[in-house]
Amino acid sequence: MKEDVPTAGDQPPAAIDTTVPHSARIWNYWLGGKDNHPVDREAGDQYREVFPRIADMARASRYFLVRAVRHLAGEAGVRQFLDVGTGLPTVDNTHEVAQRVAPESRIVYVDNDPLVLTHARALLTSTPQGVTTYIDADLYEPEKILETAAKTLDFARPVALMLMGIMGHVADGEAQAIVKRLVDALPSGGYLVLYDGSDVDESFVEAQRHYNEGGAVPYHLRSPEQITQFFDGLELLEPGVVSTSLWRPEHNPFETVTAAETFGGVGRKP
């Protein structure tokens, strides 16, 4: 089921620059996807030369999303998810994980990336009982995100806000303000699920520095303590803010990282 909110079909075609590396396409490349171009693969390979574990880290981050959504849709009983900065569709998207557990789940994806917009139809799938839809909006427009999401989600009932690996694109101070505004809109019993890249590994820091200097949209690594600050005022679920591969790990033969350099957690709003 889909609802009448802005979707890929409602927007004019947007130009996609394939001459500059693009973070979503590079991430897609590291995850083994096909939605990337030579410039992205070149940038991804250069990154991997400096930080060889990047593909493992990317997979660890995806598995964190899967475990967190499965827990929220299962044990926590959450039926509404607001996934901001969703990126390119890949295996086990938020709606797929949630609706496998609870087919009636309602998911709103948000991104303002023209590349993601062209793939939004792939996101707009749903079980007959649930809803999956897409909003073309910028992270810097929290009011627009919340207003449009409210056409699909009932903010009087628990909503899980997903901010997966995107706050590194926003400067300190402003990042905290955006997260706070979005969390403020959640009702009691809502959740924040967030991870971001951390500065705990020198080779990761160096690889990111080279990437940022290459002309693409920069991404700034934060300390685990800074990432934890996004959860201020929330009740952190065990084990708190940790390496994504160490958040309630399960046996997974494809996840080889023991301690990924991305840190994240799940917080409940009292």
Side-chain angles (χ1 to χ4, degrees), residues 37-117:
H37 297 280
V39 67
D40 308 305
R41 295 190 285 274
E42 181 181 356
D45 289 340
Q46 290 175 351
Y47 201 113
R48 184 154 37 195
E49 287 178 7
V50 181
F51 181 57
R53 294 190 305 281
I54 185 60
D56 287 334
M57 192 191 77
R59 286 192 292 270
S61 301
R62 172 59 50 167
Y63 297 141
F64 165 69
L65 179 152
V66 172
R67 295 194 301 274
V69 172
R70 187 189 300 138
H71 168 77
L72 293 178
E75 293 179 42
V78 175
R79 297 293 180 266
Q80 304 185 105
F81 296 82
L82 177 58
D83 189 334
V84 182
T86 179
L88 286 172
T90 183
V91 65
D92 278 341
N93 300 290
T94 297
H95 74 282
E96 294 169 323
V97 179
Q99 291 181 346
R100 277 201 298 266
V101 178
E104 69 274 24
S105 296
R106 304 168 75 85
I107 294 87
V108 173
Y109 290 108
V110 182
D111 213 307
N112 75 324
D113 189 316
L115 180 66
V116 176
L117 190 59

Coordinates of all heavy atoms in Angstrom, one line a residue, residues 37-117:
H37 N 29.1 3.7 -10.3 CA 29.8 4.1 -11.5 C 31.3 3.9 -11.3 O 31.8 3.8 -10.2 CB 29.4 5.5 -12.0 CG 28.0 5.6 -12.3 ND1 27.4 5.2 -13.5 CD2 26.9 6.1 -11.5 CE1 26.1 5.5 -13.4 NE2 25.8 6.0 -12.3
P38 N 32.1 3.9 -12.4 CA 33.5 3.8 -12.3 C 34.1 4.8 -11.3 O 35.0 4.4 -10.6 CB 34.0 4.0 -13.7 CG 32.9 3.5 -14.6 CD 31.6 3.9 -13.8
V39 N 33.7 6.0 -11.3 CA 34.2 7.0 -10.4 C 34.0 6.6 -8.9 O 34.8 6.9 -8.1 CB 33.7 8.4 -10.7 CG1 32.2 8.5 -10.4 CG2 34.4 9.5 -9.9
D40 N 32.9 6.0 -8.7 CA 32.5 5.6 -7.3 C 33.4 4.4 -6.9 O 33.9 4.3 -5.8 CB 31.1 5.2 -7.2 CG 30.2 6.3 -7.7 OD1 30.3 7.4 -7.2 OD2 29.3 6.0 -8.6
R41 N 33.6 3.4 -7.8 CA 34.4 2.3 -7.6 C 35.9 2.7 -7.4 O 36.6 2.1 -6.5 CB 34.3 1.2 -8.7 CG 32.8 0.7 -8.8 CD 32.8 -0.5 -9.7 NE 32.8 -0.1 -11.1 CZ 31.8 0.3 -11.9 NH1 30.6 0.3 -11.3 NH2 31.9 0.6 -13.1
E42 N 36.3 3.6 -8.1 CA 37.7 4.1 -8.0 C 37.9 4.8 -6.6 O 38.8 4.5 -5.9 CB 38.0 5.1 -9.1 CG 39.5 5.7 -9.0 CD 39.8 6.7 -10.1 OE1 38.9 6.9 -10.9 OE2 40.9 7.3 -10.0
A43 N 36.9 5.6 -6.2 CA 37.0 6.2 -4.9 C 36.9 5.2 -3.8 O 37.6 5.3 -2.8 CB 35.9 7.3 -4.7
G44 N 36.0 4.2 -4.0 CA 35.9 3.2 -3.0 C 37.1 2.3 -2.8 O 37.5 1.9 -1.7
D45 N 37.8 2.0 -3.9 CA 39.0 1.3 -3.9 C 40.1 2.1 -3.2 O 41.0 1.5 -2.5 CB 39.4 0.8 -5.3 CG 38.5 -0.3 -5.8 OD1 37.8 -0.9 -5.0 OD2 38.5 -0.4 -7.1
Q46 N 40.2 3.4 -3.5 CA 41.2 4.2 -2.9 C 41.0 4.3 -1.4 O 42.0 4.2 -0.6 CB 41.2 5.6 -3.5 CG 41.7 5.7 -4.9 CD 41.5 7.1 -5.5 OE1 40.8 7.9 -4.9 NE2 42.0 7.3 -6.7
Y47 N 39.8 4.3 -1.0 CA 39.4 4.4 0.5 C 39.9 3.0 1.1 O 40.5 3.0 2.2 CB 37.9 4.5 0.6 CG 37.4 5.1 1.9 CD1 36.9 6.3 2.0 CD2 37.5 4.3 3.1 CE1 36.4 6.8 3.2 CE2 37.1 4.8 4.3 CZ 36.5 6.1 4.4 OH 36.1 6.5 5.6
R48 N 39.6 2.0 0.4 CA 39.9 0.6 1.0 C 41.4 0.4 1.1 O 41.8 -0.3 1.9 CB 39.2 -0.4 0.1 CG 39.4 -1.9 0.6 CD 38.3 -2.8 0.2 NE 37.8 -2.5 -1.2 CZ 36.7 -3.0 -1.6 NH1 35.9 -3.7 -0.9 NH2 36.3 -2.8 -2.9
E49 N 42.2 1.0 0.2 CA 43.6 0.9 0.3 C 44.2 1.5 1.6 O 45.1 0.9 2.2 CB 44.3 1.6 -0.9 CG 44.2 0.9 -2.2 CD 44.8 1.7 -3.4 OE1 45.5 2.7 -3.1 OE2 44.6 1.3 -4.5
V50 N 43.5 2.5 2.1 CA 44.0 3.2 3.3 C 43.3 2.5 4.5 O 43.9 2.3 5.6 CB 43.6 4.7 3.4 CG1 44.1 5.3 4.7 CG2 44.3 5.4 2.2
F51 N 42.0 2.1 4.3 CA 41.3 1.4 5.4 C 40.6 0.1 4.9 O 39.5 0.1 4.4 CB 40.2 2.4 5.9 CG 39.4 1.9 7.1 CD1 40.0 1.5 8.3 CD2 38.0 1.8 7.0 CE1 39.2 1.0 9.3 CE2 37.2 1.3 8.0 CZ 37.8 0.9 9.2
P52 N 41.4 -1.0 4.9 CA 40.9 -2.2 4.3 C 39.6 -2.8 4.8 O 39.0 -3.6 4.2 CB 42.1 -3.2 4.5 CG 43.3 -2.3 4.8 CD 42.8 -1.1 5.5
R53 N 39.2 -2.4 6.0 CA 38.1 -3.0 6.7 C 36.8 -2.3 6.3 O 35.7 -2.6 6.9 CB 38.2 -3.0 8.2 CG 39.3 -3.9 8.7 CD 39.3 -4.1 10.2 NE 39.3 -2.8 10.9 CZ 40.4 -2.1 11.2 NH1 41.6 -2.5 10.7 NH2 40.4 -1.0 11.8
I54 N 36.8 -1.4 5.4 CA 35.6 -0.6 5.1 C 34.4 -1.4 4.7 O 33.3 -1.1 5.1 CB 35.9 0.5 4.1 CG1 34.7 1.5 3.9 CG2 36.4 0.0 2.8 CD1 34.3 2.2 5.2
A55 N 34.6 -2.4 3.8 CA 33.5 -3.2 3.4 C 32.9 -4.0 4.6 O 31.6 -4.1 4.7 CB 33.9 -4.1 2.3
D56 N 33.7 -4.5 5.4 CA 33.2 -5.2 6.6 C 32.5 -4.3 7.5 O 31.4 -4.6 8.1 CB 34.4 -5.8 7.4 CG 35.0 -7.1 6.7 OD1 34.2 -7.7 5.9 OD2 36.2 -7.3 6.9
M57 N 33.0 -3.0 7.6 CA 32.3 -2.0 8.5 C 30.9 -1.7 7.9 O 30.0 -1.5 8.6 CB 33.2 -0.8 8.6 CG 32.7 0.2 9.7 SD 33.6 1.7 9.6 CE 32.7 2.5 8.2
A58 N 30.9 -1.5 6.6 CA 29.6 -1.2 5.9 C 28.6 -2.3 6.2 O 27.4 -2.1 6.5 CB 29.8 -1.0 4.4
R59 N 29.0 -3.6 6.1 CA 28.1 -4.7 6.4 C 27.7 -4.7 7.9 O 26.5 -5.0 8.2 CB 28.7 -6.0 6.0 CG 28.8 -6.2 4.5 CD 29.1 -7.7 4.2 NE 30.5 -8.0 4.5 CZ 31.6 -7.8 3.7 NH1 31.4 -7.3 2.5 NH2 32.8 -8.1 4.1
A60 N 28.6 -4.4 8.8 CA 28.3 -4.4 10.2 C 27.2 -3.3 10.5 O 26.3 -3.6 11.3 CB 29.6 -4.1 11.0
S61 N 27.3 -2.2 9.8 CA 26.3 -1.1 10.0 C 25.0 -1.6 9.5 O 23.9 -1.3 10.2 CB 26.8 0.1 9.3 OG 28.0 0.6 9.7
R62 N 24.9 -2.3 8.4 CA 23.6 -2.8 7.9 C 23.0 -3.8 8.8 O 21.8 -3.8 9.1 CB 23.9 -3.4 6.5 CG 22.7 -4.1 5.9 CD 21.4 -3.3 5.7 NE 21.6 -2.0 5.1 CZ 20.6 -1.2 4.6 NH1 19.4 -1.6 4.8 NH2 20.9 0.0 4.1
Y63 N 23.9 -4.7 9.3 CA 23.3 -5.7 10.3 C 22.8 -5.1 11.6 O 21.9 -5.6 12.2 CB 24.4 -6.8 10.5 CG 24.9 -7.5 9.3 CD1 26.2 -7.9 9.1 CD2 23.9 -7.9 8.4 CE1 26.6 -8.6 8.0 CE2 24.4 -8.6 7.2 CZ 25.7 -9.0 7.1 OH 26.1 -9.7 6.0
F64 N 23.5 -4.0 12.0 CA 23.0 -3.3 13.1 C 21.5 -2.8 12.9 O 20.6 -2.9 13.7 CB 23.9 -2.1 13.5 CG 23.3 -1.1 14.4 CD1 23.1 -1.4 15.8 CD2 22.9 0.2 14.0 CE1 22.5 -0.5 16.6 CE2 22.4 1.1 14.9 CZ 22.2 0.8 16.2
L65 N 21.3 -2.2 11.7 CA 20.0 -1.8 11.4 C 19.0 -2.9 11.5 O 17.9 -2.8 12.0 CB 20.0 -1.1 10.0 CG 18.6 -0.6 9.4 CD1 18.9 0.5 8.4 CD2 17.8 -1.7 8.7
V66 N 19.4 -4.0 10.9 CA 18.5 -5.2 10.9 C 18.1 -5.6 12.3 O 16.9 -5.9 12.6 CB 19.1 -6.4 10.1 CG1 18.3 -7.6 10.2 CG2 19.2 -6.0 8.6
R67 N 19.1 -5.7 13.1 CA 18.9 -6.2 14.5 C 18.0 -5.2 15.3 O 17.1 -5.6 16.1 CB 20.2 -6.5 15.2 CG 21.0 -7.6 14.6 CD 22.1 -8.1 15.6 NE 23.1 -7.0 15.9 CZ 24.1 -6.7 15.1 NH1 24.4 -7.3 14.0 NH2 25.0 -5.7 15.5
A68 N 18.3 -3.9 15.1 CA 17.6 -2.9 15.8 C 16.1 -2.9 15.4 O 15.2 -2.8 16.2 CB 18.2 -1.5 15.6
V69 N 15.8 -2.9 14.1 CA 14.5 -2.8 13.6 C 13.7 -4.1 14.0 O 12.6 -4.1 14.4 CB 14.5 -2.7 12.1 CG1 13.0 -2.8 11.5 CG2 15.0 -1.3 11.7
R70 N 14.4 -5.2 13.9 CA 13.7 -6.5 14.3 C 13.3 -6.4 15.8 O 12.2 -6.9 16.2 CB 14.7 -7.7 14.1 CG 14.0 -9.0 14.3 CD 15.1 -10.1 14.2 NE 15.7 -10.2 12.9 CZ 17.0 -10.4 12.8 NH1 17.8 -10.5 13.8 NH2 17.5 -10.4 11.6
H71 N 14.2 -5.9 16.6 CA 13.9 -5.8 18.1 C 12.7 -4.8 18.3 O 11.8 -5.2 19.0 CB 15.1 -5.3 18.9 CG 14.7 -4.9 20.3 ND1 14.5 -5.8 21.3 CD2 14.5 -3.7 20.8 CE1 14.2 -5.2 22.4 NE2 14.2 -3.9 22.1
L72 N 12.7 -3.7 17.6 CA 11.7 -2.7 17.8 C 10.3 -3.2 17.3 O 9.3 -3.0 18.0 CB 12.0 -1.4 17.2 CG 13.2 -0.6 17.8 CD1 13.5 0.6 17.0 CD2 13.0 -0.3 19.3
A73 N 10.3 -3.8 16.1 CA 9.1 -4.3 15.6 C 8.6 -5.6 16.3 O 7.4 -5.8 16.4 CB 9.2 -4.7 14.1
G74 N 9.5 -6.3 17.0 CA 9.2 -7.5 17.7 C 8.9 -7.3 19.1 O 7.8 -7.0 19.6
E75 N 10.0 -7.3 20.0 CA 9.8 -7.2 21.4 C 9.2 -5.8 21.8 O 8.4 -5.8 22.8 CB 11.2 -7.4 22.1 CG 11.7 -8.8 22.0 CD 13.1 -8.9 22.6 OE1 13.2 -8.3 23.7 OE2 14.0 -9.5 22.1
A76 N 9.6 -4.8 21.2 CA 9.1 -3.4 21.6 C 7.7 -3.1 21.0 O 7.1 -2.1 21.5 CB 10.1 -2.4 21.2
G77 N 7.3 -3.8 20.0 CA 5.9 -3.6 19.5 C 5.7 -2.3 18.7 O 4.6 -1.9 18.5
V78 N 6.8 -1.8 18.1 CA 6.7 -0.5 17.3 C 6.2 -0.9 15.9 O 6.6 -1.9 15.3 CB 8.1 0.2 17.2 CG1 8.0 1.4 16.3 CG2 8.6 0.6 18.6
R79 N 5.3 -0.1 15.4 CA 4.7 -0.3 14.1 C 4.9 0.9 13.2 O 4.4 0.8 12.1 CB 3.2 -0.6 14.3 CG 2.9 -1.8 15.1 CD 3.3 -3.1 14.4 NE 3.0 -4.3 15.1 CZ 3.9 -4.9 15.9 NH1 5.1 -4.4 16.0 NH2 3.6 -6.0 16.5
Q80 N 5.7 1.9 13.6 CA 5.9 3.0 12.7 C 7.4 3.4 12.7 O 8.0 3.5 13.8 CB 5.1 4.2 13.2 CG 3.6 4.0 13.4 CD 2.8 5.2 13.7 OE1 2.1 5.8 12.9 NE2 2.9 5.6 15.0
F81 N 7.9 3.6 11.5 CA 9.3 3.9 11.4 C 9.5 5.1 10.4 O 8.9 5.1 9.4 CB 10.1 2.7 10.8 CG 10.1 1.5 11.7 CD1 9.0 0.7 11.8 CD2 11.1 1.2 12.6 CE1 8.9 -0.4 12.6 CE2 11.1 0.1 13.4 CZ 10.0 -0.7 13.5
L82 N 10.4 6.1 10.9 CA 10.7 7.2 10.1 C 12.2 7.2 9.8 O 13.0 7.4 10.7 CB 10.3 8.5 10.8 CG 10.7 9.8 10.2 CD1 10.1 10.0 8.8 CD2 10.3 11.0 11.1
D83 N 12.6 6.8 8.6 CA 13.9 6.5 8.2 C 14.5 7.7 7.4 O 14.1 7.8 6.2 CB 14.0 5.2 7.4 CG 15.4 4.7 7.2 OD1 16.4 5.6 7.1 OD2 15.6 3.5 7.0
V84 N 15.2 8.6 8.0 CA 15.7 9.8 7.4 C 17.1 9.6 6.9 O 18.0 9.2 7.6 CB 15.7 11.0 8.4 CG1 16.1 12.3 7.7 CG2 14.3 11.1 9.0
G85 N 17.3 10.0 5.6 CA 18.6 9.7 4.9 C 18.8 8.3 4.6 O 19.9 7.7 4.8
T86 N 17.8 7.7 4.0 CA 17.7 6.3 3.8 C 18.8 5.7 2.9 O 19.3 4.6 3.0 CB 16.4 5.8 3.3 OG1 16.3 4.4 3.1 CG2 16.1 6.5 1.9
G87 N 19.2 6.5 1.9 CA 20.2 6.1 0.9 C 19.6 5.1 -0.1 O 18.4 5.0 -0.2
L88 N 20.5 4.5 -0.9 CA 20.0 3.6 -2.0 C 19.4 2.3 -1.4 O 19.9 1.8 -0.4 CB 21.2 3.2 -2.9 CG 21.7 4.3 -3.8 CD1 23.0 3.9 -4.5 CD2 20.6 4.7 -4.8
P89 N 18.4 1.8 -2.0 CA 17.8 0.6 -1.6 C 18.9 -0.5 -1.7 O 19.7 -0.6 -2.6 CB 16.7 0.3 -2.6 CG 16.4 1.6 -3.2 CD 17.6 2.4 -3.2
T90 N 18.9 -1.4 -0.7 CA 19.8 -2.5 -0.7 C 19.1 -3.7 0.0 O 17.9 -3.6 0.2 CB 21.1 -2.2 0.0 OG1 22.0 -3.3 -0.1 CG2 20.9 -1.8 1.5
V91 N 19.8 -4.7 0.3 CA 19.1 -5.9 1.0 C 18.7 -5.5 2.4 O 19.4 -4.7 3.1 CB 20.1 -7.1 1.0 CG1 21.3 -6.8 1.8 CG2 19.4 -8.3 1.5
D92 N 17.6 -6.0 2.8 CA 17.1 -5.8 4.2 C 16.9 -4.3 4.5 O 17.5 -3.7 5.4 CB 18.0 -6.4 5.2 CG 17.7 -7.9 5.4 OD1 16.5 -8.3 5.0 OD2 18.5 -8.7 5.9
N93 N 16.1 -3.6 3.7 CA 15.7 -2.2 4.0 C 14.8 -2.2 5.2 O 14.2 -3.3 5.6 CB 15.0 -1.6 2.8 CG 15.9 -1.6 1.6 OD1 16.9 -0.8 1.5 ND2 15.5 -2.4 0.6
T94 N 14.6 -1.1 5.8 CA 13.8 -1.0 7.1 C 12.5 -1.6 6.9 O 12.0 -2.3 7.8 CB 13.7 0.5 7.5 OG1 15.0 1.0 7.8 CG2 12.9 0.7 8.7
H95 N 11.8 -1.3 5.8 CA 10.4 -1.8 5.7 C 10.4 -3.3 5.5 O 9.4 -3.9 6.0 CB 9.7 -1.1 4.5 CG 10.1 -1.6 3.1 ND1 11.3 -1.1 2.5 CD2 9.6 -2.4 2.2 CE1 11.4 -1.7 1.4 NE2 10.4 -2.5 1.2
E96 N 11.4 -3.9 4.9 CA 11.4 -5.3 4.7 C 11.6 -6.0 6.0 O 10.9 -7.0 6.3 CB 12.5 -5.7 3.7 CG 12.3 -5.2 2.3 CD 13.5 -5.3 1.4 OE1 14.6 -5.2 1.9 OE2 13.3 -5.7 0.3
V97 N 12.5 -5.5 6.9 CA 12.7 -6.1 8.2 C 11.5 -5.9 9.1 O 11.1 -6.9 9.7 CB 14.0 -5.4 8.8 CG1 14.2 -6.1 10.2 CG2 15.2 -5.6 8.0
A98 N 11.0 -4.7 9.1 CA 9.8 -4.5 10.0 C 8.6 -5.3 9.6 O 7.9 -5.8 10.5 CB 9.5 -3.0 10.0
Q99 N 8.3 -5.3 8.3 CA 7.1 -6.0 7.9 C 7.2 -7.5 7.9 O 6.2 -8.2 7.8 CB 6.7 -5.4 6.5 CG 6.2 -4.0 6.6 CD 5.8 -3.4 5.3 OE1 6.0 -4.0 4.2 NE2 5.1 -2.3 5.3
R100 N 8.5 -8.0 7.9 CA 8.6 -9.4 8.1 C 8.1 -9.8 9.5 O 7.6 -10.9 9.7 CB 10.0 -9.9 7.9 CG 10.4 -10.1 6.5 CD 11.6 -11.0 6.3 NE 12.8 -10.5 6.9 CZ 13.7 -9.7 6.3 NH1 13.6 -9.5 5.0 NH2 14.8 -9.3 6.9
V101 N 8.4 -8.9 10.5 CA 8.0 -9.2 11.8 C 6.5 -8.8 12.0 O 5.7 -9.5 12.7 CB 8.9 -8.4 12.8 CG1 8.4 -8.6 14.3 CG2 10.3 -8.8 12.7
A102 N 6.1 -7.6 11.5 CA 4.8 -7.1 11.7 C 4.3 -6.5 10.4 O 4.6 -5.4 10.0 CB 4.8 -6.0 12.8
P103 N 3.5 -7.3 9.6 CA 3.2 -6.9 8.3 C 2.4 -5.5 8.2 O 2.4 -4.9 7.2 CB 2.3 -8.0 7.8 CG 2.7 -9.2 8.5 CD 3.1 -8.7 9.9
E104 N 1.8 -5.1 9.3 CA 1.0 -3.9 9.3 C 1.9 -2.6 9.6 O 1.4 -1.5 9.7 CB -0.1 -3.9 10.4 CG 0.4 -3.9 11.9 CD 0.8 -5.3 12.4 OE1 1.1 -6.2 11.6 OE2 0.8 -5.5 13.6
S105 N 3.2 -2.8 9.7 CA 4.1 -1.7 10.0 C 4.0 -0.6 8.9 O 3.9 -0.9 7.7 CB 5.6 -2.2 10.1 OG 5.7 -3.1 11.2
R106 N 4.2 0.6 9.3 CA 4.1 1.8 8.4 C 5.5 2.4 8.4 O 6.0 2.8 9.5 CB 3.1 2.8 8.8 CG 1.7 2.1 9.0 CD 0.7 3.1 9.7 NE 0.2 4.1 8.8 CZ -0.8 4.1 8.0 NH1 -1.4 2.9 7.8 NH2 -1.1 5.1 7.3
I107 N 6.1 2.6 7.2 CA 7.5 3.1 7.1 C 7.5 4.3 6.2 O 6.9 4.3 5.1 CB 8.4 2.0 6.5 CG1 8.6 0.9 7.6 CG2 9.8 2.6 6.3 CD1 7.5 -0.2 7.4
V108 N 8.1 5.4 6.6 CA 8.3 6.6 5.8 C 9.8 6.8 5.6 O 10.6 6.9 6.6 CB 7.7 7.9 6.4 CG1 8.1 9.1 5.6 CG2 6.2 7.7 6.5
Y109 N 10.3 6.8 4.4 CA 11.6 7.0 4.0 C 11.8 8.5 3.6 O 10.9 9.1 3.0 CB 12.1 6.2 2.8 CG 12.2 4.7 3.1 CD1 11.3 3.8 2.6 CD2 13.3 4.2 3.9 CE1 11.4 2.4 2.9 CE2 13.4 2.9 4.2 CZ 12.5 2.0 3.7 OH 12.6 0.6 3.9
V110 N 12.9 9.1 4.0 CA 13.2 10.5 3.7 C 14.6 10.6 3.1 O 15.6 10.1 3.7 CB 13.1 11.4 4.9 CG1 13.3 12.8 4.6 CG2 11.8 11.2 5.6
D111 N 14.7 11.3 2.0 CA 16.0 11.6 1.4 C 15.8 12.8 0.4 O 14.7 12.9 -0.1 CB 16.7 10.4 0.7 CG 18.2 10.4 0.8 OD1 18.8 11.5 0.5 OD2 18.8 9.4 1.3
N112 N 16.8 13.5 0.1 CA 16.7 14.6 -0.9 C 17.7 14.4 -2.0 O 18.1 15.3 -2.7 CB 16.9 16.0 -0.3 CG 18.4 16.3 0.1 OD1 19.1 15.4 0.5 ND2 18.8 17.5 -0.1
D113 N 18.3 13.2 -2.1 CA 19.3 12.8 -3.0 C 18.7 12.5 -4.4 O 17.8 11.6 -4.4 CB 20.1 11.6 -2.5 CG 21.3 11.4 -3.3 OD1 21.3 11.4 -4.5 OD2 22.4 11.1 -2.7
P114 N 19.0 13.1 -5.5 CA 18.4 12.8 -6.8 C 18.6 11.4 -7.2 O 17.8 10.8 -7.8 CB 19.1 13.8 -7.8 CG 20.3 14.3 -7.1 CD 20.0 14.2 -5.6
L115 N 19.8 10.8 -6.8 CA 20.0 9.4 -7.1 C 19.0 8.5 -6.4 O 18.4 7.5 -6.9 CB 21.4 9.0 -6.8 CG 21.8 7.6 -7.1 CD1 21.8 7.3 -8.5 CD2 23.2 7.3 -6.5
V116 N 18.9 8.8 -5.1 CA 17.9 8.0 -4.3 C 16.5 8.2 -4.8 O 15.7 7.2 -4.9 CB 18.0 8.3 -2.8 CG1 16.9 7.6 -2.0 CG2 19.4 8.1 -2.2
L117 N 16.2 9.4 -5.2 CA 14.9 9.7 -5.8 C 14.5 8.8 -7.0 O 13.4 8.3 -7.1 CB 14.8 11.1 -6.2 CG 13.4 11.7 -6.5 CD1 12.4 11.5 -5.3 CD2 13.5 13.2 -6.9

